[in-house]
Amino acid sequence: PSAYNEAGRGPGGAPPGYCGTGNAKSNGGTHGGIAGSQIQDRPCFGSVNFYGSVTQPDMHGSTGSATMMPVDVGGSGGGVIKLSVIGPMENCGIIGAEGVAGETGYAWAGAGGSIWIEAGSLDGDGVISVNGGRAGSGMGGGGGRVAIYYDVNQYSGIVSAYGGGIFYGGAGTVYLKRNSDLVGDIVVNNGNRVGQYAQFPAAHAALSSNVVVENQGVFRHIPGTSLTLLQVDANGGGVFELGSFTTSSKTYIPTIN
């Protein structure tokens, strides 16, 4: 496709105090990555609610909150795109489900939505994006979720689930799996934006996968749950924040803050 854009097609205009499915005073929306916050380790002021499937993403991004309704209206989250292609798929344009900015300076951005692609072969140099929205003066939305299944991958373009700024949200998740492989790769990449973190929903905590955290992405393990990782790599400022976990990793290079 040349353009397939579902930016801002998620829920919008939620009342003040909305962050993902929880309560917040003033934050962007949460989905795969937590919303941006002025207080680096207090996103949503104690109410952190990740949601959606890592491997079968099909949910909209959450709206951002706002400080004064109805004057301020938070930005809408990204929509949902699912493409099933029998045979080759070439993307030289934009496939996007990004969150958008709030309508005023005191309304925060929405989270990225979901893109799920199944194709025989994937080619092209375009953009596939579920980035969180960029707030005009405050808290950005968290990144959404992407899953791509393929037989042959020759795609050289961008696949991103970055958190939005100005106070950056956390990266969402990108799941890449060759159809013949038993497991796929989960990538948490924040595009060299220092922000919040990603976390798997509780239902996916035991998902067996290769995990790559890079370019200022941060992955935080849910305390008290087991996590089985086949291979773990931290590159380009990527950070793992891990509690107790099990791994059969061939490569284990964590940076723990």
Side-chain angles (χ1 to χ4, degrees):
S2 59
Y4 198 149
N5 191 359
E6 288 289 308
R9 296 295 183 90
Y18 191 89
C19 179
T21 55
N23 298 315
K25 182 177 180 181
S26 185
N27 283 273
T30 288
H31 185 184
I34 195 69
S37 173
Q38 288 178 300
I39 304 173
Q40 179 64 20
D41 204 37
R42 286 186 63 199
C44 298
F45 298 89
S47 181
V48 179
N49 292 274
F50 297 88
Y51 63 94
S53 172
V54 174
T55 58
Q56 297 178 328
D58 61 357
M59 300 189 73
H60 295 85
S62 295
T63 185
S65 65
T67 57
M68 185 183 299
M69 293 285 284
V71 177
D72 301 318
V73 179
S76 297
V80 177
I81 296 173
K82 182 175 181 182
L83 299 175
S84 296
V85 180
I86 299 174
M89 171 180 162
E90 183 176 15
N91 175 39
C92 294
I94 298 173
I95 302 174
E98 298 186 345
V100 298
E103 294 185 9
T104 65
Y106 293 95
W108 317 129
S114 297
I115 297 176
W116 178 356
I117 295 174
E118 299 172 341
S121 63
L122 186 63
D123 203 346
D125 58 0
V127 174
I128 299 170
S129 174
V130 292
N131 295 346
R134 177 180 173 84
S137 62
M139 276 58 89
R145 300 192 187 279
V146 176
I148 301 176
Y149 297 83
Y150 56 87
D151 292 323
V152 177
N153 185 4
Q154 296 178 315
Y155 184 70
S156 60
I158 295 170
V159 182
S160 64
Y162 305 154
I166 294 176
F167 295 97
Y168 284 106
T173 56
V174 175
Y175 183 71
L176 305 171
K177 183 179 180 296
R178 181 181 290 107
N179 292 323
S180 59
D181 291 344
L182 294 178
V183 298
D185 297 330
I186 300 173
V187 180
V188 179
N189 178 339
N190 213 25
N192 290 315
R193 306 167 177 187
V194 178
Q196 295 293 341
Y197 58 92
Q199 196 172 62
F200 300 163
H204 286 69
L207 181 69
S208 297
S209 296
N210 305 314
V211 179
V212 178
V213 182
E214 59 188 2
N215 297 327
Q216 303 300 329
V218 179
F219 170 75
R220 182 173 293 181
H221 176 221
I222 301 174
T225 63
S226 63
L227 180 66
T228 302
L229 304 177
L230 303 184
Q231 181 164 320
V232 181
D233 292 286
N235 306 312
V239 177
F240 283 89
E241 297 178 350
L242 299 172
S244 60
F245 72 103
T246 59
T247 176
S248 57
S249 170
K250 297 178 181 178
T251 306
Y252 175 43
I253 315 174
T255 301
I256 303 175
N257 287 353

